[in-house]
Amino acid sequence: MPDLSLTNLSLVGATVFVFVVLGILSAVQAVISTRTSQGAVAWAITLVTWPFFAVPAYWIFGRNKFQGYVNLRRDRTSDAIDNLDQVRERMTPYIVDLGSRFGEARALEQLARMRFTRNNNTRLLVNGQATFDAIFAEIDAATTYILVQFFIIHDDSLGRQLKDRLIAKAKQGLSVYLLYDDIGSSGIPKAFVNELTAAGVRVTGMRTTRGWRNRFQINFRNHRKIVVVDGRIAFVGGHNVGDEYIGKHPRLSPWRDTHISISGPAVLATQMAFVEDWYWATESMPTVSWEPQPSDEDDKMVFVLPSGPADDYETCGLFFTHAINSADERIWIATPYFVPDEGVITALQLAALRGVDVRVLIPGIPDKPWIKLAAMSYVRQVIEAGVKVYEYGDGFLHQKVLLVDGYASAIGTANFDNRSFRLNFEITVLTIDDDFTSEVEQMLLTDFENSTEITAQQLADRRWWSVAGSQIARLFAPIL
């Protein structure tokens, strides 16, 4: 009869050996690939000293590139790449050269692989009721196809309204596509999805873990919120599909959020972001039109910036840095999560020091207290340089809005944090137009009236445990 104690010891020894080896190999890989030297050292030490805990954590949180998606873009034979080239060509008559306006705008165009276009119209949509009234009206009026993408979709009153409309259009013979994030929408019941697919709606999650090399990469999220109808109009912004976004959350209401609608050639750039995501998730192409439809109503200059962990550069963070550096008079930022990296912090400090009116608007009532804790450590840094930080007091602030001087404004899905800068797929719409920027300015001025400025004295008066909590939370900033 075998000695079970010896057998158990052998299994324990073998397990320890395997984890030690995996820890060493992962540490080597971390040193080679981690973005910063501080991060590389932190991962390497932890992986070697605590391999049982660190190895699984590294496999989930340690990657900053979505390699499968990167490979898709490099495949010059793929249908998605083919379409991108065609879209660029068809948009040529509407391209506008901004030159040195908004900094060197060409730098952003290289990041996005798209150009600024004219003959666009944009409409500001403030809060959930206005946003979903507009989206649902366009879905009801659709004649050919509908593309819908959200980070979160709930099976609640609002979610069922969306579902019923998509089902009705699919039954009319339209091509209807619904894409959601597997983590953000993990609570969707199977019956909800089955009802959509039974009616002919094509539904899929983002499937970031598709492929054996991507098995553990649950840290990448598709945070985009996109609706495109007939290639004619598109919607982008902060709202997801859930009753809380129309003011029905018991603790966080009224929910303060902002969306934008676009019509004109820039719709195709928004559509391209959806198509790339759909192609990754399903390995198939949706049936859509790539013919630009210039707006008859206005001639705004619009630029669409998709960003994500498959980009060659850290596109989202670079966009914010570029915008801050481009400001001559003011830079106003509204964000629910203020957990930026040191490069962006430095840009904010320098802008304030050179006399720019720098304001940051964050929630007074947080939905995630640990992120608010981390944010306060960054607030202290920027206030010392002259940045004004305000806490919104009338419900929860979830909008992602940027205002530069008197001519440029950006509305999108990207938060002002490391996750949006590096780990999430995001999309931002930048509008160059004095009148539209004035609308955004008035909206933000109203928000500031409902806010309270955080003073240096308030920060100095914080209890020691609050300061310590902020510093500890800050350590986890790269994955919050």
Side-chain angles (χ1 to χ4, degrees), residues 157-446:
S157 174
L158 187 64
R160 288 189 285 274
Q161 287 183 62
L162 174 65
K163 179 191 67 176
D164 291 345
R165 281 179 160 83
L166 297 183
I167 287 173
K169 301 311 285 190
K171 287 182 176 178
Q172 290 174 20
L174 277 68
S175 298
V176 183
Y177 303 85
L178 176 61
L179 174 63
Y180 59 86
D181 181 79
D182 299 276
I183 302 296
S185 299
S186 58
I188 292 184
K190 185 176 274 190
F192 185 98
V193 175
N194 288 345
E195 194 175 345
L196 285 160
T197 55
V201 178
R202 298 168 178 87
V203 185
T204 183
M206 182 60 181
R207 300 176 68 203
T208 56
T209 59
R210 183 169 65 82
W212 69 270
R213 292 189 62 191
N214 306 317
R215 184 67 59 192
F216 300 103
Q217 62 179 22
I218 61 172
N219 202 30
F220 295 133
R221 313 280 164 75
N222 197 316
H223 195 243
R224 293 171 179 160
K225 297 96 177 170
I226 296 171
V227 175
V228 179
V229 176
D230 296 336
R232 174 182 53 81
I233 190 166
F235 297 88
V236 171
H239 293 89
N240 287 294
V241 181
D243 285 349
E244 63 268 35
Y245 291 87
I246 53 174
K248 295 183 179 180
H249 192 285
R251 182 175 69 86
L252 300 177
S253 293
W255 191 284
R256 176 70 189 88
D257 222 328
T258 302
H259 237 68
I260 185 173
S261 72
I262 320 158
S263 55
V267 171
L268 296 189
T270 310
Q271 181 170 278
M272 190 65 223
F274 177 95
V275 166
E276 273 201 328
D277 290 346
W278 185 269
Y279 189 74
W280 159 261
T282 67
E283 298 184 9
S284 65
M285 294 293 293
T287 304
V288 296
S289 167
W290 293 109
E291 198 61 44
Q293 301 181 43
S295 170
D296 296 327
E297 301 175 31
D298 215 327
D299 189 22
K300 294 184 176 73
M301 290 180 285
V302 173
F303 174 70
V304 178
L305 182 77
S307 58
D311 297 350
D312 294 333
Y313 304 97
E314 291 175 353
T315 303
C316 186
L318 288 173
F319 167 76
F320 281 114
T321 302
H322 181 95
I324 295 164
N325 291 336
S326 300
D328 293 320
E329 299 170 3
R330 62 181 173 181
I331 179 89
W332 294 356
I333 299 162
T335 178
Y337 311 123
F338 184 66
V339 191
D341 63 17
E342 290 303 319
V344 174
I345 285 290
T346 300
L348 288 171
Q349 291 170 326
L350 285 172
L353 290 171
R354 69 175 191 264
V356 175
D357 174 15
V358 185
R359 303 187 196 181
V360 179
L361 181 62
I362 61 175
I365 304 170
D367 65 333
K368 298 171 182 174
W370 60 91
I371 296 182
K372 180 64 178 291
L373 263 179
M376 294 310 292
S377 68
Y378 295 97
V379 168
R380 178 186 57 78
Q381 270 187 277
V382 297
I383 281 181
E384 290 171 352
V387 176
K388 295 178 180 179
V389 181
Y390 297 81
E391 287 185 311
Y392 186 73
D394 189 17
F396 177 59
L397 178 94
H398 190 255
Q399 64 177 330
K400 304 93 165 54
V401 177
L402 178 79
L403 182 73
V404 179
D405 294 341
Y407 67 90
S409 58
I411 297 168
T413 68
N415 299 313
F416 211 72
D417 64 3
N418 281 283
R419 175 164 286 284
S420 284
F421 293 173
R422 298 187 180 91
L423 300 175
N424 288 351
F425 289 92
E426 306 282 5
I427 187 166
T428 301
V429 177
L430 174 66
T431 304
I432 307 294
D433 183 82
D434 293 354
D435 291 339
F436 185 76
T437 301
S438 179
E439 282 187 63
V440 175
E441 176 190 8
Q442 292 306 310
M443 176 187 75
L444 291 178
L445 285 172
T446 301

